[in-house]
Amino acid sequence: MTAVNRTEQAYSEAQEKYGEYGVDTDRALTALREIALSIHCWQGDDVVGFEGDSSLEGAGIQATGNYPGRARTPGELRADFEKAHSLIPGTHRISLHAIYAETNGKQVGRDELAPEHFRGWIDWAKALGIGMDFNPTFFAHPRARDGFTLASYDESIRKYWVNHGIACRRIGDHIGRELGSACVNNIWIPDGFKDIPADRKTPRMRLKQSLDEIFAIEFDPDNLLDSVESKLFGIGSESYVVGSHDFYVGYAIEQNTLYCVDTGHFHPTENVADKITSLFTYIEELMFHISRGVRWDSDHVVLYNDDVREIAGELVRGDYLRRAHIGLDFFDASINRVAAWVIGTRATLKALLNALLEPREMLQKFEANSDYTSRLAMMEEVKTLPFGAVWDYYCLQNDVPVGKAWYDEVKHYEGEVLLKR
Ligand code: RNT
Ligand code: ZN
């Protein structure tokens, strides 16, 4: 029997087993195919970008490791991303940061960035048939050196970053229009204090003022969707972060923006999945940065683990997939970066598939009837259903390597391309 036949046969057996629980595997695969993940560009180059002289130092964000093969140019980064994308089932999006502008060697202030500086990316995305999301870069910059940007006491610094925010919304609007798919422009700022603040209020009032200034111009939501991302603490902002969870949830509700849930931005004992139904009660659309914190917001590569499975489960159970923009946010410089992308993205897709294969009608019926014994017994049974056979078949269906075969391609690419840099 050929490998293809084996995958197909295993799938048809899995189909039957899931059928016993009332789950239609074909339907799950069709639903999965419609999900476009927003894959972050910054795994490919350790969040360095193309400004030339910027360093992450003092930026509250840090990639660690020195595995060879980092992408150094737009051409390299695009080639690496394409390689990764070709090993991931489905059609996804790229999430770009402002520091990935192509300025032809010219120094362009972040407050002066314009759509033309992203022409190369837009043309490339068009040719590849993928959508694009965007992020202003409020870090790794001399004017962010004291750890404050939009909440700065220094009016000229604050204004500079407000103008950057406005410039990025224009860019996002342009991207959305050009690609025919709304661009999520997600704002994250590092602002905060290393040590105990004497005034928690003033920086937050200023952040609100800055955001109001940035969002004063209206754009067509068919092209641009605004999003704000909170954080609990960062490197150098251990004691206080201006843009906290509470702050941005309030802001998103008041201003009708998206709220971005970065799974690494909460206390390690918090259940991020549990927040989803509450947030969606009041906020129309959520952005996600699926990440994996290890002891802190360490941006390790996302894995197919309980945390991600629970988040995917909540998105499916609540019928929220159309209101969720599922992005990734990790940057590990200690392993092959193309592999990191593939591992993290395939893991997230697996979690979504697992959620789509859950016999939720059955389980919810038990629950509604207070039959908690059946609920627990069946939840436990479902865990050993042949999920892998369905996932393999999905990869086959989508013309990407089945099982570990993707890794051979990455190793080949490493030898031919990455190690020659
Ligand atoms: C930082 C935030 C932010 C960044 C990216 C590079 O803590 O998570 O989203 O990781 O914008
Ligand atoms: Zn993030």
Side-chain angles (χ1 to χ4, degrees):
M1 210 182 343
T2 66
V4 168
N5 288 342
R6 266 202 305 276
T7 304
E8 284 170 348
Q9 194 187 325
Y11 177 69
S12 85
E13 281 164 21
Q15 207 169 13
E16 226 172 274
K17 290 231 168 88
Y18 277 99
E20 290 170 18
Y21 292 79
V23 174
D24 181 340
T25 54
D26 281 339
R27 242 178 79 185
L29 294 183
T30 307
L32 186 61
R33 191 66 184 76
E34 282 168 23
I35 301 175
L37 297 178
S38 182
I39 306 175
H40 56 311
C41 77
W42 52 91
Q43 167 60 62
D45 79 328
D46 314 339
V47 214
V48 173
F50 306 126
E51 282 180 339
D53 61 348
S54 68
S55 89
L56 282 175
E57 226 180 300
I61 187 169
Q62 197 165 13
T64 54
N66 52 11
Y67 198 86
R70 185 182 82 78
R72 300 155 302 176
T73 62
E76 289 180 355
L77 188 55
R78 291 198 268 264
D80 293 357
F81 185 93
E82 275 181 57
K83 185 76 219 174
H85 192 258
S86 76
L87 302 173
I88 296 162
T91 306
H92 302 285
R93 307 168 65 82
I94 185 161
S95 179
L96 216 59
H97 243 282
I99 46 171
Y100 294 86
E102 293 176 80
T103 61
N104 268 325
K106 267 211 331 258
Q107 285 285 109
V108 178
R110 291 203 194 157
D111 56 340
E112 286 169 349
L113 286 171
E116 71 204 60
H117 303 122
F118 295 90
R119 185 77 267 152
W121 284 106
I122 294 168
D123 290 345
W124 169 79
K126 243 184 221 170
L128 207 60
I130 63 172
M132 195 190 288
D133 297 313
F134 201 70
N135 306 261
T137 313
F138 294 96
F139 53 81
H141 191 275
R143 292 195 201 216
R145 207 166 264 155
D146 69 352
F148 277 85
T149 61
L150 292 180
S152 179
Y153 277 92
D154 180 327
E155 192 55 18
S156 79
I157 288 187
R158 193 187 69 80
K159 265 280 171 233
Y160 178 80
W161 291 112
V162 165
N163 289 335
H164 177 55
I166 293 170
C168 288
R169 290 185 76 220
R170 285 211 187 92
I171 294 163
D173 172 69
H174 182 82
I175 290 171
R177 199 161 346 106
E178 285 275 312
L179 297 180
S181 167
C183 171
V184 177
N185 184 53
N186 178 58
I187 292 184
W188 173 75
I189 60 165
D191 302 31
F193 287 120
K194 180 187 173 92
D195 224 324
I196 308 157
D199 179 1
R200 291 170 181 269
K201 179 181 172 188
T202 308
R204 290 197 168 126
M205 294 304 98
R206 259 198 323 273
L207 174 55
K208 175 160 168 41
Q209 184 196 336
S210 296
L211 292 171
D212 287 349
E213 288 169 22
I214 290 174
F215 295 134
I217 307 163
E218 290 243 2
F219 287 98
D220 183 346
D222 282 346
N223 302 326
L224 178 75
L225 295 169
D226 293 300
S227 166
V228 287
E229 177 181 358
S230 69
K231 191 158 177 166
L232 179 63
F233 77 92
I235 304 169
S237 61
E238 288 84 356
S239 299
Y240 167 80
V241 164
V242 184
S244 63
H245 174 66
D246 313 72
F247 178 91
Y248 279 131
V249 169
Y251 195 85
I253 293 170
E254 189 189 82
Q255 295 296 327
N256 200 20
T257 68
L258 277 64
Y259 172 66
C260 175
V261 179
D262 184 310
T263 57
H265 291 190
F266 296 88
H267 192 281
T269 63
E270 271 186 281
N271 178 358
V272 177
D274 182 60
K275 298 176 188 299
I276 291 173
T277 39
S278 298
L279 292 169
F280 270 127
T281 305
Y282 301 102
I283 299 175
E284 192 45 39
E285 293 183 33
L286 293 179
M287 172 85 203
F288 287 87
H289 274 185
I290 307 291
S291 186
R292 177 165 58 103
V294 176
R295 302 194 188 282
W296 62 288
D297 175 32
S298 48
D299 298 285
H300 283 59
V301 177
V302 166
L303 299 177
Y304 179 60
N305 64 13
D306 284 348
D307 295 341
V308 184
R309 273 194 294 270
E310 264 314 296
I311 288 169
E314 283 304 299
L315 291 176
V316 171
R317 288 172 207 135
D319 199 15
Y320 294 131
L321 287 174
R322 264 167 291 107
R323 293 165 62 187
H325 303 259
I326 309 169
L328 305 172
D329 186 6
F330 49 82
F331 32 99
D332 191 340
S334 74
I335 60 173
N336 180 305
R337 295 168 184 81
V338 176
W341 260 325
V342 178
I343 295 166
T345 313
R346 283 175 71 125
T348 307
L349 289 171
K350 280 186 218 162
L352 286 159
L353 176 58
N354 180 67
L356 289 162
L357 290 170
E358 182 182 81
R360 55 184 176 281
E361 274 167 32
M362 185 183 84
L363 295 173
Q364 288 176 356
K365 205 159 151 201
F366 290 142
E367 187 166 287
N369 293 329
S370 308
D371 182 358
Y372 305 135
T373 315
S374 301
R375 183 184 65 182
L376 189 65
M378 290 309 119
M379 273 184 179
E380 200 54 19
E381 280 311 310
V382 164
K383 287 181 187 167
T384 49
L385 286 178
F387 168 78
V390 183
W391 168 250
D392 284 350
Y393 182 71
Y394 184 65
C395 292
L396 180 73
Q397 236 188 4
N398 284 276
D399 280 322
V400 304
V402 173
K404 64 184 171 53
W406 68 266
Y407 192 62
D408 299 334
E409 289 208 31
V410 170
K411 281 315 256 184
H412 180 75
Y413 187 74
E414 179 172 278
E416 293 299 307
V417 181
L418 301 176
L419 294 181
K420 291 185 177 156
R421 287 183 183 158

